[in-house]
Amino acid sequence: MAPRAVVSPAQQQRIAWRVAKCWAVVFVFVLASSSSSSSSWFIGQVSGACTNYTNPVVAGAIVGDNVNLDGAAFVASSWDCNYVFATARDSDALVVVDIGADPDNPVIVGSIVGDNTNMNGVRGLAVSPNGTYVYTVAVSSDSLAVVDVSNHTGPVVVGSIVGDVTHMQEAYGVAAAPSGQYVYVTGRQSDSLAVVDVSNATDPTVVGSILGDNNNMGRALGVAVSADGRYVYVTGYTSDTLAVVDVLNATNPTVVGVVDDSTYLNGAFGVAVSPDGQHVVVAAYHSGRATVVDVGTDPANPVVVGSAAVSNASGVAVSADGQHAFVVGYDSDTFAVVDIGFDPANPAIVASFVDTTRLDRPMSVALSPVGNFAFATGLSSSSLVVVRLCAGAAIDGDSDSICDAVDSCLGDASNDVGDSDGVCGACLLYTSDAADDLLCVD
């Protein structure tokens, strides 16, 4: 069935959290009610998720696959816990990896390989809020591809923009809006952010852009979207910046705030948003830092509040409880867990490891929906690595081998609204009354 790409503002609030997992940054956040009442929504912590991250270990990996994963670049998780998507720069590829059957033995089940038209030098990827599509962007083809992944064994490109050197020259990063209507693409060479309407998957169209902004997004790489869809955050690799972009008017995205810091944001690369939208975490390559930036107090005046040392930091993701960031270091072959919740002004490394064989030059890291596993790519090792984040963790929260409502909700999730498919897409706790009802939101 065709996805419902455009939804109402109220529906956007209910599904906004899903975009976070599309970047594999699993959030727990508060969403203000769209009415004038004092009621609010928040997502309860994932049942069965890890709470102690002091002993992450490699559970499984695909290593040295120079056909499908040559130059493995970016990674994202599916919504159902069962699959991981990864791009491969030198294979011009998107691969679908089954990790649900056995996370210790990941298996490639579907792929697009050698697509030098739509994925030449492919880098970033994002998953649509409904899980039907994966969006990939590619440096050498200056392109955005819309890939239908509803059949995991047979992903297929259904729409694309190719050779757009104006809006996405050396397209590098991509993020999806909570509504599902737009994706945001960074252009490394064009110092740009493009807003692309993907409501018609077969005909993605650029509707707005910021071009040639080398002061605020010089060599633009990383991109992330706030939970409410109002702001997009863009890293500038050569400008050492994090730009806050107001995208309320999709046709006229506007930089409303920027932090320029050559000490803590030198070589700003990956970016992720904290659960409450208060902070953004930036992986700064040349600084060798995971840097916490306050963007919630005043979006027009973002401020660096703290950082932790992670050599050659490149990719970052945030835990479901918002207390930890997971960071990979490109040239240091490092995976690190950073405590950002106890004191954002003094984030601390709580665990780390170096793996030069399976995690050689990692660019990206993502989390499973439940939050028990992390996934990272190794560019030089042509690898996808599965990291178990706590002892005994299952890919699903209750260890029944099925990622379902029980894993993502803290109570009765029987109220299946939206698509009546019998599956709870998410559980929200409505806090306006004593009952604190858990409602299922697809």
Side-chain angles (χ1 to χ4, degrees):
M1 185 176 71
R4 183 175 56 199
V6 183
V7 297
S8 69
Q11 289 171 318
Q12 287 184 30
Q13 284 192 323
R14 294 185 176 187
I15 67 171
W17 72 279
R18 299 175 68 182
V19 170
K21 290 198 296 186
C22 139
W23 314 317
V25 180
V26 187
F27 290 160
V28 183
F29 54 81
V30 178
L31 297 178
S33 172
S34 59
S35 69
S36 59
S37 69
S38 60
S39 303
S40 62
W41 297 88
F42 76 94
I43 295 175
Q45 183 173 342
V46 179
S47 176
C50 296
T51 56
N52 185 336
Y53 297 105
T54 59
N55 188 33
V57 296
V58 173
I62 300 171
V63 181
D65 186 343
N66 294 323
V67 174
N68 298 293
L69 287 171
D70 193 11
F74 285 78
V75 62
S77 176
S78 69
W79 302 112
D80 61 5
C81 301
N82 293 318
Y83 298 95
V84 169
F85 307 104
T87 57
R89 181 193 69 183
D90 301 325
S91 296
D92 301 329
L94 171 72
V95 300
V96 184
V97 182
D98 186 338
I99 47 88
D102 182 2
D104 294 352
N105 293 284
V107 177
I108 294 175
V109 294
S111 64
I112 298 172
V113 177
D115 185 351
N116 58 13
T117 298
N118 299 295
M119 300 184 188
N120 194 353
V122 65
R123 296 299 204 278
L125 79 166
V127 183
S128 66
N130 61 15
T132 300
Y133 299 108
V134 168
Y135 308 104
T136 65
V137 291
V139 166
S140 299
S141 49
D142 308 311
S143 60
L144 165 74
V146 183
V147 184
D148 188 331
V149 293
S150 55
N151 177 1
H152 294 104
T153 62
V156 59
V157 175
V158 295
S160 64
I161 298 172
V162 177
D164 188 346
V165 296
T166 299
H167 300 104
M168 54 185 74
Q169 188 173 12
E170 296 191 3
Y172 205 93
V174 60
S179 67
Q181 183 173 1
Y182 302 108
V183 297
Y184 307 99
V185 178
T186 56
R188 184 175 68 177
Q189 184 62 32
S190 47
D191 304 326
S192 61
L193 175 73
V195 182
V196 184
D197 189 331
V198 291
S199 55
N200 180 353
T202 64
D203 185 28
T205 305
V206 175
V207 296
S209 62
I210 297 171
L211 305 176
D213 190 351
N214 59 5
N215 289 322
N216 297 314
M217 53 184 74
R219 303 284 280 182
L221 297 183
V223 59
V225 187
S226 64
D228 61 4
R230 175 65 183 269
Y231 297 106
V232 168
Y233 308 100
V234 179
T235 58
Y237 185 77
T238 56
S239 54
D240 305 332
T241 52
L242 174 75
V244 181
V245 183
D246 189 331
V247 292
L248 184 62
N249 180 353
T251 64
N252 186 33
T254 304
V255 174
V256 295
V258 64
V259 55
D260 182 339
D261 193 318
S262 59
T263 300
Y264 295 106
L265 294 176
N266 193 348
F269 199 145
V271 60
V273 188
S274 70
D276 57 5
Q278 183 69 26
H279 297 104
V280 161
V281 184
V282 177
Y285 174 78
H286 291 302
S287 294
R289 317 291 298 183
T291 299
V292 182
V293 182
D294 184 340
V295 295
T297 301
D298 182 2
N301 293 286
V303 178
V304 171
V305 294
S307 71
V310 179
S311 182
N312 310 124
S314 53
V316 59
V318 177
S319 66
D321 61 6
Q323 299 298 301
H324 297 86
F326 302 87
V327 185
V328 289
Y330 184 64
D331 289 321
S332 59
D333 306 331
T334 301
F335 180 95
V337 184
V338 184
D339 186 337
I340 59 172
F342 179 74
D343 182 3
N346 293 285
I349 304 290
V350 297
S352 67
F353 64 82
V354 173
D355 191 326
T356 59
T357 300
R358 293 171 294 189
L359 202 61
D360 191 357
R361 303 182 82 184
M363 292 184 67
S364 174
V365 61
L367 295 179
S368 65
V370 174
N372 289 338
F373 288 82
F375 312 104
T377 51
L379 186 137
S380 294
S381 49
S382 300
S383 60
L384 174 76
V385 175
V386 181
V387 180
R388 180 175 277 104
L389 296 175
C390 59
I395 197 68
D396 63 312
D398 55 8
S399 302
D400 64 357
S401 299
I402 302 172
C403 180
D404 51 25
V406 176
D407 300 316
S408 58
C409 304
L410 295 177
D412 182 7
S414 60
N415 183 21
D416 173 37
V417 299
D419 57 9
S420 301
D421 63 354
V423 179
C424 176
C427 227
L428 300 181
L429 181 59
Y430 191 60
T431 59
S432 65
D433 56 35
D436 288 338
D437 299 320
L438 280 165
L439 302 178
C440 177
V441 180
D442 291 310

